């Protein structure tokens, strides 16, 4: 139930923040939301012993996000599965900790943006523009890191102490 | 034993190659800019965005001031329609707008990634199709891209997508220069207008509008104002920088011109 709430709220906020930021803030150079990606990194700890469910959920999030946002569901399904795979591999070497989540998130955002940019360039959907690439990379970290902090804090406060992995 | 291992390795390679091929085919079909959404994609898109639109209503409803001004504009529109009907009767003029105006609300937008597009809350059931002009009070905002039953993706003119080419013309005092808009420089907020011929009569400050020869888009929609003229290495002018008249920010309502 907790996972469904986290995923649902993240997807909802992702859509809402994108609209609000573009509508009411003229310069959004540092605040591009990718909350659906943050939640994939964060919920791994609930699926340490059940990786199949983790990949299924990550793929479902990617599919829904891709179709709702860009009408390219398959692209996001594959990319989010890849991000989930990277998260699972890296996290398996460390004990669950907020700083590990943070490091995985930064790497995941970087990977996600480079792969989407590369694929769209490869299939001639967009034209190459280094400014666009740099802008996309720089704008994607700050807000998402803040969201991870808030989500971790909220989860910590609402979880019984015995169950919490920190 | 060795032969068995070698066989297993070969089978793994074949399976990996088939999987990579399938992934590529799926990606190509997914990224095809002219594709239509299939049945499942329509269901997921309509379902997700309908739920999101319902939940986001408290955050995106128009304010009281906006509601008052909408009522005023509506009243003004009604009186202008009456005046137009009377004038048509008087002058025996038969005027009809070839394009139907469909108002829509922007419900989501994807910033921070490479798709510069918005999603509006009107779709195929409202008469929308790909390739229709979308405008606001200032001018052309974008072109409709993918439609589901109740929602439509609109590719903004400030998008860097390779297949976005808008037939356009420059209106100057002495002539009309035909060309097309292709490309956008976000760092300077300038569109690029490419001319069809190399003679230049246009100058900085002239308006760029949609072209009368485009066919699918209505002509005369403002796109921008020429801000710079680019000459190539031989001194022949063939490109102009155009500052868009519309702003991408604070954009909540648009109008789709449907044929």
């Amino acid at each position: 139930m907790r996972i469904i709430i986290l995923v649902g709220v993240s997807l909802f906020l992702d859509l809402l923040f994108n609209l609000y930021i573009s509508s009411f803030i003229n310069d959004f150079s540092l605040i591009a939301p990718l909350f659906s990606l943050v939640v994939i990194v964060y919920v791994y700890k609930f699926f340490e012993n059940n990786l199949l469910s983790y990949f299924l959920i990550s793929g479902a999030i990617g599919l829904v996000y891709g179709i709702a946002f860009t009408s390219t569901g398959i692209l996001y399904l594959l990319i989010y599965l890849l991000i989930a795979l990277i998260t699972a591999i890296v996290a398996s070497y460390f004990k669950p900790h907020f700083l590990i989540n943070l490091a995985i998130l930064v790497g995941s955002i970087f990977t996600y943006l480079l792969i989407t940019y590369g694929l769209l360039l490869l299939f001639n959907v967009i034209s190459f523009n280094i400014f666009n690439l740099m802008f996309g990379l720089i704008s994607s970290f700050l807000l998402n890191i803040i969201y991870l902090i808030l989500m971790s804090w909220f989860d910590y406060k609402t979880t019984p102490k015995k169950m919490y992995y920190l | 034993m060795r032969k068995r291992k070698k066989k297993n390795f070969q089978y793994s390679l074949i399976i990996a190659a088939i999987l990579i091929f399938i992934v590529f085919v799926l990606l190509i079909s997914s990224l095809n800019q002219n594709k239509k959404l299939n049945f499942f994609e329509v269901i997921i898109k309509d379902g997700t965005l309908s739920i999101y639109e319902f939940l986001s209503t408290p955050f995106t409803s128009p304010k009281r001031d906006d509601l008052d001004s909408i009522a005023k504009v509506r009243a003004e529109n009604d009186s202008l329609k009456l005046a137009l009907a009377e004038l048509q009767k008087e002058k025996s003029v038969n005027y009809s707008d070839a394009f139907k105006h469909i108002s829509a609300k922007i419900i989501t937008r994807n910033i921070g990634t490479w798709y510069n597009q918005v999603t509006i809350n009107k779709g195929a059931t409202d008469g929308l199709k790909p390739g229709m002009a979308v405008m606001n009070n200032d001018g052309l905002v974008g072109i409709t891209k993918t439609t589901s039953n109740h929602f439509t993706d609109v590719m903004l003119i400030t998008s860097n997508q390779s297949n976005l080419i808008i037939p356009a013309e420059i209106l100057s005092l002495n002539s009309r220069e035909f060309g097309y808009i292709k490309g956008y420089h976000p760092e300077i907020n300038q569109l690029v207008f490419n001319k069809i011929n190399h003679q230049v009569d246009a100058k900085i400050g002239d308006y760029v509008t949609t072209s009368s020869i485009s066919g699918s888009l209505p002509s005369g929609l403002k796109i921008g104002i020429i801000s710079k003229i680019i000459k190539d290495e031989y001194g022949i002018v063939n490109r102009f920088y155009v500052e868009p008249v519309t702003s991408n920010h604070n954009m909540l309502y648009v109008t789709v011109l449907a044929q």
Side-chain angles (χ1 to χ4, degrees):
Chain A
M1 188 65 189
R2 176 179 293 272
I3 297 163
I4 294 171
I5 291 171
L6 283 173
V7 169
V9 168
S10 298
L11 275 171
F12 174 74
L13 287 178
D14 215 339
L15 293 169
L16 192 66
F17 264 68
N18 269 289
L19 180 66
Y20 255 86
I21 287 166
S22 62
S23 297
F24 300 112
I25 299 175
N26 275 348
D27 179 12
F28 41 83
S29 53
L30 285 176
I31 41 177
L34 282 171
F35 299 156
S36 52
L37 203 69
V38 175
V39 81
I40 286 178
V41 171
Y42 186 75
V43 299
Y44 170 75
K45 65 176 190 180
F46 299 108
F47 294 98
E48 272 181 284
N49 301 321
N50 190 359
L51 285 180
L52 181 61
S53 300
Y54 178 58
F55 290 132
L56 281 172
I57 285 187
S58 303
I61 293 172
L63 191 67
V64 168
Y65 179 89
I67 291 175
F69 248 139
T70 62
S71 302
T72 54
I74 302 292
L75 172 68
Y76 281 81
L77 165 73
L78 294 171
I79 289 175
Y80 276 44
L81 279 176
L82 181 64
I83 298 297
L85 182 65
I86 292 171
T87 304
I89 291 172
V90 173
S92 64
Y93 286 102
F94 302 95
K95 281 186 187 170
H97 195 276
F98 169 73
L99 290 175
I100 302 299
N101 277 348
L102 190 62
I104 295 173
L105 176 66
V106 170
S108 298
I109 290 174
F110 198 74
T111 308
Y112 160 80
L113 288 169
L114 280 180
I115 289 178
T116 47
Y117 193 80
L119 282 172
L120 293 173
L121 204 62
L122 181 69
F123 290 102
N124 202 29
V125 175
I126 57 173
S127 43
F128 180 73
N129 185 323
I130 189 72
F131 179 83
N132 257 0
L133 178 59
M134 298 309 299
F135 173 86
L137 285 169
I138 293 165
S139 66
S140 299
F141 288 107
L142 182 65
L143 185 63
N144 298 306
I145 289 172
I146 292 172
Y147 185 68
L148 179 67
I149 294 169
L150 288 172
M151 187 163 36
S152 305
W153 174 82
F154 174 77
D155 194 37
Y156 176 69
K157 286 291 178 191
T158 55
T159 307
K161 290 267 193 272
K162 279 185 202 171
M163 284 174 63
Y164 197 77
Y165 314 85
L166 224 202
Chain B
M1 189 73 173
R2 263 195 196 170
K3 274 189 182 174
R4 204 174 173 184
K5 274 189 179 176
K6 199 176 173 186
K7 252 191 177 176
N8 284 342
F9 179 67
Q10 283 170 347
Y11 285 145
S12 307
L13 270 181
I14 292 170
I15 291 169
I18 292 172
L19 281 174
I20 289 171
F21 176 74
I22 291 172
V23 164
F24 249 72
V25 167
L26 288 173
L27 279 176
I28 289 171
S29 68
S30 167
L31 291 172
N32 178 8
Q33 293 301 290
N34 298 320
K35 74 169 185 127
K36 287 184 184 173
L37 296 177
N38 60 39
F39 175 72
F40 298 107
E41 283 176 327
V42 166
I43 295 211
I44 293 173
K45 188 170 183 107
D46 283 345
T48 311
L49 291 178
S50 297
I51 295 169
Y52 163 73
E53 194 186 6
F54 172 72
L55 291 173
S56 68
T57 307
F59 306 99
T60 56
S61 296
K63 296 175 201 163
R64 196 186 172 85
D65 291 344
D66 292 338
L67 284 171
D68 289 342
S69 68
I70 287 170
K72 277 184 197 165
V73 168
R74 194 169 280 156
E76 192 182 340
N77 194 33
D78 289 339
S79 72
L80 281 171
K81 273 185 185 171
L82 278 171
L84 179 65
E86 277 174 27
L87 273 170
Q88 280 180 229
K89 211 172 165 181
E90 246 180 80
K91 306 284 178 188
S92 306
V93 166
N94 207 358
Y95 167 78
S96 64
D97 195 346
F99 292 89
K100 192 175 153 194
H101 295 231
I102 301 173
S103 297
K105 184 173 152 189
I106 292 175
I107 59 164
T108 188
R109 179 172 177 177
N110 196 352
I111 63 170
T113 55
W114 325 115
Y115 284 95
N116 202 350
Q117 66 183 44
V118 299
T119 304
I120 58 176
N121 64 347
K122 291 278 158 53
T125 51
D126 304 291
L128 267 61
K129 289 177 193 170
M132 291 179 170
V134 180
M135 54 179 286
N136 65 7
N137 289 340
D138 297 321
L140 185 71
V141 161
I143 312 281
T144 53
K145 195 174 96 166
T146 325
T147 54
S148 62
N149 289 336
H150 302 292
F151 299 95
T152 299
D153 294 334
V154 176
M155 191 164 35
L156 300 177
I157 58 171
T158 51
S159 166
N160 244 325
Q161 292 196 241
S162 303
N163 62 343
L164 181 62
I165 299 174
I166 304 170
E169 60 187 40
I170 300 173
L171 294 177
S172 58
L173 275 176
N174 303 318
S175 64
R176 283 161 111 178
E177 313 278 352
F178 291 100
Y180 55 95
I181 295 277
K182 184 175 192 257
Y184 173 69
H185 294 280
E187 65 274 19
I188 50 175
N189 188 33
Q190 300 285 312
L191 296 161
V192 181
F193 175 86
N194 302 273
K195 277 171 71 344
I196 290 174
N197 65 53
H198 297 297
Q199 292 170 336
V200 181
D201 288 330
K203 57 186 187 310
I204 291 174
D206 284 343
Y207 273 98
V208 177
T209 65
T210 47
S211 171
S212 51
I213 58 172
S214 77
S216 58
L217 299 180
S219 65
L221 295 179
K222 278 189 213 163
I223 298 175
I225 301 172
I226 295 176
S227 60
K228 197 174 175 184
I229 299 173
I230 311 290
K231 290 186 182 180
D232 64 11
E233 55 193 16
Y234 303 106
I236 298 173
V237 178
N238 55 9
R239 280 192 300 155
F240 299 82
Y241 278 164
V242 177
E243 187 172 334
V245 290
T246 57
S247 167
N248 280 339
H249 312 293
N250 203 13
M251 194 169 56
L252 286 175
Y253 297 95
V254 292
T255 303
V256 182
L257 300 178
Q259 252 177 331

